[in-house]
Amino acid sequence: MEVEQLPDQVREFAVYLRNLLARLDQDAGWCGIFWQRDPDGMRVCLTGAEVPPWDVVEALLQDLGVGGGSYEAEVEAESVRARALHRASLAAFDARPGGRDLLGDRLDVMLREQRYAAGRQEELARLLRTAATREQAEATRLDLAWARDDHDRATARCAELHRRLADLDRQPPPPPVPVPRRRPQSAPPEPEPPERSKAPKERRRRPRGSARFAGMLDEAAPADGTTLPTALAVQGPSRDAAASPRGARFAGAAEGAAAEPPAPQRLDSEARAAVAACAGTLLRLRTEGRGGEAHGVLVEAAHWPAARFPLLAAELNRAGLGADWATLLWETASLPAGLLVAAADALAAAGRTADAQQILRQGVARPATEIGTSVLRLTGEGRHRETRVLLDAYVRVRTPEEAARSVRDDPGRLVPLLVEAARGVSDERYWDVVHALRVAGFHA
């Protein structure tokens, strides 16, 4: 983003950040560590092209207060001002077109970072117990301290990203912009390959050991540039505003009327007690620093009945465990397709549309052949609505070429389902998928 194009709030915070650094020793404290471990991240934040996570700003303010004494009161006042400027800057930064998709992708990155750091802590703790010499023990102890710092920062950033997504969800959506139809409804001759946008950027791996600014990478957005809808309900028309309601967004609805999401299921006292006990256990484990055991509790909870998820979200956030809820969503996204859709249904029905969108987007990141197998299993069980929800998410997030690869196991059954899902997204996506199928040798 060019400096002159920056929103006023982002530009104001960038100026504040430059002035703050001018008051610090650039080679000492956290400031020196940040410059050493992620100089590119520091530069883009100073220009305003990015807004740093709050934990970075907080660490720089700690450097400002190293002197102690009466100076600490000045630093506290400075922190209040910095927090206000930072929040205003984030709000303006996230309000840009595509801001929500970018936040979702960065949350994916930070969840992976959090999981890596948790695993690294466990590994180093084992090495520390078996260290043969004092030198090995000291080196391992130092690495363990950095791993804990990485995990703490990743956890804080997951919570911050969740808050930013929630703030965006509370804003009214922009009015839809109708897009002219690209093709007539009647069956046309073999279409010419449409002009394609550039393929999503390949994910770049950040070298381990520089978690300071992790999450500022350019991650892949949904393949068609649109926001993934909720599992069942619609938050406005698709890009093809002239078309009548169709596809998984209106699964089970009569022509022209959208289906309401399933009503939230009532929980019995046993389920409510289990949710409360889970939150209490996680809080105790986090307080005691037993991250590995806490993660095990989250993995187990991911396999609970979907109806418990909204209440579990409320309990974890009430207990200050928002980062654990983010980790639980990540684990949920790896569930079998039927369980994944059920969880998304429950979250959407409870009004947690952002969470429902997130797990669907992450859930369809699995290999194309696995998606095809899941669709065949769901249709074989007669679960046609779940099939449509899964395919709708899949054709939105993945490229047409990837979508075409998902039909290899049973083209006769899978091609019609995939084509219908693409038609429900937009005419453009429909023709892109049809072309990709024909190039791959499948009759559409």
Side-chain angles (χ1 to χ4, degrees), residues 387-405:
T387 299
R388 291 192 293 269
V389 169
L390 183 67
L391 282 175
D392 180 81
Y394 185 61
V395 297
R396 288 174 180 271
V397 173
R398 306 301 289 270
T399 66
E401 293 74 19
E402 290 172 323
R405 288 197 291 270

Side-chain angles (χ1 to χ4, degrees), residues 29-328:
W30 283 111
C31 186
I33 291 172
F34 293 155
W35 276 117
Q36 179 183 2
R37 301 183 76 181
D38 196 355
D40 291 339
M42 290 287 283
R43 292 188 189 100
V44 295
C45 291
L46 291 174
T47 63
E50 289 285 356
V51 182
W54 173 249
D55 68 275
V56 172
V57 182
E58 194 172 37
L60 294 173
L61 290 170
Q62 290 177 14
D63 286 352
L64 191 64
V66 165
S70 60
Y71 200 45
E72 290 182 1
E74 180 183 343
V75 172
E76 184 175 352
E78 188 76 20
S79 179
V80 172
R81 180 186 176 215
R83 174 62 105 173
L85 291 173
H86 184 258
R87 290 209 168 191
S89 180
L90 288 180
F93 191 86
D94 296 341
R96 301 170 305 152
R100 199 186 192 295
D101 288 340
L102 182 60
L103 286 178
D105 293 332
R106 289 180 176 177
L107 180 58
D108 293 348
V109 173
M110 288 317 307
L111 286 168
R112 291 198 299 272
E113 184 68 37
Q114 184 187 39
R115 294 176 68 180
Y116 174 85
R120 180 68 173 153
Q121 286 185 80
E122 294 178 4
E123 176 188 4
L124 289 169
R126 288 193 297 270
L127 291 175
L128 183 61
R129 289 193 295 268
T130 59
T133 65
R134 181 176 180 179
E135 290 76 13
Q136 288 179 353
E138 287 300 321
T140 303
R141 193 172 287 112
L142 179 61
D143 288 343
L144 180 58
W146 280 115
R148 286 171 177 160
D149 181 71
D150 286 344
H151 186 267
D152 290 345
R153 291 185 185 277
T155 300
R157 291 173 195 181
C158 286
E160 180 177 285
L161 289 166
H162 269 290
R163 180 186 60 78
R164 291 165 67 180
L165 284 165
D167 289 344
L168 282 181
D169 287 340
R170 284 191 287 268
Q171 297 175 6
V177 180
V179 178
R181 302 178 66 83
R182 293 182 56 204
R183 298 281 196 276
Q185 285 282 4
S186 57
E190 176 73 20
E192 292 295 326
E195 182 178 351
R196 300 182 183 278
S197 59
K198 293 182 180 180
K201 291 184 179 180
E202 183 178 345
R203 293 183 185 269
R204 294 180 291 163
R205 289 190 176 273
R206 179 184 51 75
R208 290 294 175 190
S210 61
R212 305 293 144 249
F213 294 87
M216 290 187 177
L217 309 181
D218 292 325
E219 296 293 323
D224 68 346
T226 63
T227 301
L228 186 67
T230 59
L232 294 174
V234 179
Q235 296 180 327
S238 65
R239 294 185 304 161
D240 187 2
S244 59
R246 59 191 180 181
R249 300 183 303 288
F250 300 91
E255 188 70 9
E260 293 297 323
Q265 300 180 28
R266 293 186 176 181
L267 299 178
D268 56 24
S269 58
E270 181 181 353
R272 292 181 178 277
V275 169
C278 178
T281 299
L282 285 169
L283 187 60
R284 174 175 56 81
L285 292 173
R286 291 302 184 194
T287 302
E288 297 172 358
R290 296 157 65 182
E293 294 176 59
H295 187 259
V297 172
L298 293 170
V299 171
E300 181 180 354
H303 291 80
W304 279 4
R308 297 184 182 183
F309 278 43
L311 180 59
L312 188 55
E315 288 292 332
L316 292 182
N317 283 287
R318 188 180 298 116
L321 298 171
D324 279 332
W325 172 243
T327 301
L328 179 59

